[in-house]
Amino acid sequence: DSITTKLAEIPLDEDDPARIAFGQRNMFVPRTQPDPTRKDKGEPAPTTFVNEVTHWWDGSQIYGSDQATQDRLRLRRHGHLRLTDKGTLPLRDDDVEDSGMVRNWWVGLAMLHTLFAREHNSICDHLAEHHPDWDDDRLFNVARLVNAAVMAKIHSIEWTPAILPNPSLDLGLNSNWYGMLTYRFRKGADRKTVARYNVANPEMGGLVGNKTNKHGKPFGLTEEFVEVYRLHSLLPETLKFRRLGENEIFREVPFAASRQAGSPVVTDEVGMTDLFYSFGREHPGQLVLNNFPRFMQELSVPGNPVFDMGAVDLLRARERGVPRYNDFREQLGLKRIESFDQLTEDEERAERLHDVYGGDVDKLDLLIGTLAEEERPTGFGFGETLFQIFILNASRRLQADRFYTESYNEEVYTKEGMAWVDDATLKKVLLRHHPELRNTGLANVKNAFEPWDTGELEPARHPLREWDPELKSDPWSGDAA
């Protein structure tokens, strides 16, 4: 194919600031590479595309999705990943931190990748104490399994309930991981991912450590799941930094300045501990209309002096065959909407949607429709349409992976590795590598994704505390339902 057929052209209006400033009539967006294995099969097949990285929950963002990347990142001693003397990620030739996946890099990713690279090395040291005869390869591979499980656990039972702080949701996600029986009758250190007497039923005994079930289909994350993860509105325009334990903001950095080679500059100037403290004090943006970050509409990327990610988000769904909002809902068994004012009570906003889509509600893009949803379940950061896909994949990405099902056992992970996962929370991981954070609001919350507030915690800002069985009431009571 010629280069022109591999690019999508998005025309810019004559009064578009990018066209006025740069004389740019069109924005050029590389098309997604189609999956060659689906060609010439002579049978109907779903639209599929090539992915550069593995879609398994295997920590590949830290370790890489190919052997060459993994080899480059390894120290080749004690099972460790390479870190600098300061405990930060080494830099590549382009002055960006080196890790398993560095596309669209910024300081927030650098923080998490560094944290879990350190966690990997700590797991290696712990395993080496109990298995002094293990060589570098075995230490590395088992530590990777354990570290990936720590990340999967944190995402399942901490991040998701934090963005959807609803009692039923929290109960469901914890039951996915532990099983309803363990979550109901065990607390704190007694709560094990795999119970001593494991119940085979996935609802009662949990998905993790039970049988693999792919429900008759090869595992893969769907394009629908990719689309509901377009959560760019969570990002701020500027990053506000505070010194440890202080309220005063000592520096503000435009988000764009923390991208790519700007990331290690920010890390070096602010320091990793102060970065985590600053992020713990900040709030994400709301997932609503008219809250898309301005800097993401004005990105500078090779080939385009101005690159609008909002436009690209819409293009990708259309390009990859993801249904528009109404068809998407119908395929999930949800009701179609018949008018734009069913999404919002704001007449001006409904009228604007009507004008943009020429009055045809069936043309409404999935992303715009989900951001416009104003009626949401209690505590939900997004509406029911996104939730349907989230909750399906929350189970499938565990249940379809043998390393979280049949192979989640002491023979593969070791007794010490499984105990490490059971003990791990994001709060404990943070305190292991940044013990100075004990003297901040992190000490006052159970879930590190909550606001790091000090003093008496306000129920409106920490809703899950109002029913948490270890803090206040019992979620199995009628009131919690």
Side-chain angles (χ1 to χ4, degrees):
D1 294 343
S2 67
I3 188 64
T4 55
T5 62
K6 295 181 180 179
L7 292 173
E9 294 186 34
I10 300 177
L12 303 180
D13 292 337
E14 291 186 6
D15 61 349
D16 191 297
R19 183 165 181 169
I20 295 171
F22 300 102
Q24 183 178 342
R25 296 184 177 183
N26 298 287
M27 187 174 77
F28 299 97
V29 184
R31 294 186 181 277
T32 308
Q33 183 179 343
D35 180 1
T37 66
R38 293 288 185 175
K39 284 187 175 182
D40 303 321
K41 291 291 186 180
E43 59 184 29
T47 303
T48 58
F49 298 90
V50 170
N51 200 341
E52 297 177 354
V53 298
T54 167
H55 53 222
W56 296 99
W57 226 349
D58 57 2
S60 54
Q61 73 274 27
I62 308 295
Y63 301 98
S65 293
D66 58 78
Q67 193 65 49
T69 301
Q70 184 184 110
D71 291 343
R72 186 182 72 247
L73 298 174
R74 290 179 62 177
L75 182 64
R76 290 293 177 185
R77 292 198 306 274
H78 317 302
H80 282 198
L81 291 167
R82 290 192 302 121
L83 292 171
T84 69
D85 292 340
K86 294 181 178 180
T88 57
L89 298 172
L91 300 185
R92 308 188 313 174
D93 292 340
D94 59 0
D95 291 329
V96 175
E97 288 104 332
D98 201 5
S99 192
M101 176 64 177
V102 296
R103 287 286 189 95
N104 305 314
W105 191 256
W106 68 289
V107 72
L109 289 179
M111 292 163 60
L112 289 174
H113 285 233
T114 302
L115 180 68
F116 284 99
R118 290 183 181 183
E119 182 75 350
H120 170 92
N121 291 352
S122 293
I123 296 167
C124 287
D125 295 342
H126 183 69
L127 292 171
E129 290 179 12
H130 294 272
H131 304 277
D133 58 323
W134 282 14
D135 62 13
D136 174 75
D137 282 338
R138 189 165 187 187
L139 286 170
F140 173 84
N141 286 318
V142 176
R144 175 177 178 168
L145 282 172
V146 173
N147 204 21
V150 168
M151 288 184 273
K153 178 188 177 188
I154 288 171
H155 190 112
S156 293
I157 66 173
E158 294 190 80
W159 182 83
T160 307
I163 198 170
L164 305 169
N166 177 287
S168 298
L169 185 283
D170 189 72
L171 174 63
L173 268 294
N174 274 277
S175 297
N176 253 12
W177 188 268
Y178 292 112
M180 295 184 76
L181 293 176
T182 291
Y183 191 57
R184 177 65 178 92
F185 296 110
R186 293 286 184 266
K187 294 179 174 61
D190 292 332
R191 191 175 283 165
K192 309 296 183 185
T193 303
V194 179
R196 181 178 179 184
Y197 299 104
N198 192 43
V199 177
N201 178 276
E203 290 79 23
M204 294 294 105
L207 301 177
V208 183
N210 267 316
K211 289 186 178 180
T212 304
N213 188 347
K214 298 185 181 181
H215 298 276
K217 298 291 181 181
F219 174 72
L221 294 179
T222 65
E223 294 296 343
E224 287 78 6
F225 192 47
V226 174
E227 291 307 318
V228 303
Y229 248 113
R230 295 193 185 278
L231 307 177
H232 292 135
S233 294
L234 294 171
L235 296 175
E237 295 288 351
T238 59
L239 304 175
K240 300 177 177 66
F241 299 124
R242 296 173 170 87
R243 295 300 183 193
L244 188 68
E246 297 181 2
N247 289 324
E248 183 180 350
I249 296 169
F250 77 90
R251 186 178 175 194
E252 292 192 31
V253 174
F255 191 105
S258 78
R259 294 180 58 221
Q260 301 302 115
S263 170
V265 173
V266 173
T267 299
D268 187 60
E269 292 180 355
V270 178
M272 196 61 76
T273 300
D274 284 345
L275 282 172
F276 276 110
Y277 173 69
S278 299
F279 274 58
R281 293 291 306 277
E282 285 302 305
H283 299 284
Q286 287 185 294
L287 294 168
V288 295
L289 286 179
N290 304 316
N291 196 38
F292 198 89
R294 173 59 60 183
F295 80 87
M296 296 200 80
Q297 301 173 52
E298 301 171 344
L299 287 175
S300 178
V301 299
N304 283 285
V306 175
F307 197 71
D308 184 350
M309 276 302 302
V312 175
D313 281 348
L314 299 182
L315 171 69
R316 291 303 184 214
R318 298 181 185 186
E319 175 194 26
R320 297 170 183 173
V322 177
R324 300 292 180 105
Y325 179 78
N326 248 349
D327 289 339
F328 191 91
R329 284 179 59 83
E330 184 176 40
Q331 292 180 25
L332 290 172
L334 302 174
K335 291 183 179 179
R336 301 175 71 94
I337 63 168
E338 297 178 358
S339 63
F340 294 102
D341 55 19
Q342 287 182 251
L343 289 173
T344 173
E345 294 181 357
D346 187 313
E347 293 182 7
E348 183 178 346
R349 189 169 297 159
E351 184 176 346
R352 188 175 181 188
L353 287 170
H354 183 279
D355 292 344
V356 167
Y357 289 99
D360 190 346
V361 72
D362 290 332
K363 289 183 178 179
L364 181 66
D365 286 286
L366 174 63
L367 176 61
I368 304 302
T370 56
L371 291 175
E373 290 178 356
E374 291 182 356
E375 186 175 336
R376 303 179 178 190
T378 302
F380 273 40
F382 48 74
E384 65 171 355
T385 308
L386 295 191
F387 174 70
Q388 299 292 323
I389 296 296
F390 262 82
I391 205 66
L392 285 170
N393 285 274
S395 300
R396 181 154 168 76
R397 61 194 173 190
L398 292 172
Q399 197 174 32
D401 189 337
R402 74 176 179 90
F403 286 106
Y404 294 112
T405 51
E406 278 113 342
S407 295
Y408 192 83
N409 54 51
E410 291 185 3
E411 181 181 356
V412 176
Y413 281 78
T414 73
K415 178 181 179 180
E416 299 78 26
M418 293 184 71
W420 189 283
V421 177
D422 284 335
D423 181 66
T425 64
L426 179 58
K427 180 176 176 176
K428 289 186 176 181
V429 173
L430 285 168
L431 292 176
R432 188 173 3 261
H433 305 287
H434 300 278
E436 308 90 338
L437 294 173
R438 292 184 188 278
N439 300 318
T440 71
L442 175 60
N444 201 28
V445 297
K446 177 183 175 184
N447 185 335
F449 291 104
E450 294 179 65
W452 293 8
D453 295 340
T454 56
E456 187 72 22
L457 297 181
E458 299 176 19
R461 290 170 58 80
H462 301 270
L464 289 181
R465 288 181 67 90
E466 288 301 288
W467 66 271
D468 191 298
E470 296 177 41
L471 296 173
K472 187 172 181 181
S473 62
D474 188 341
W476 292 67
S477 69
D479 292 341

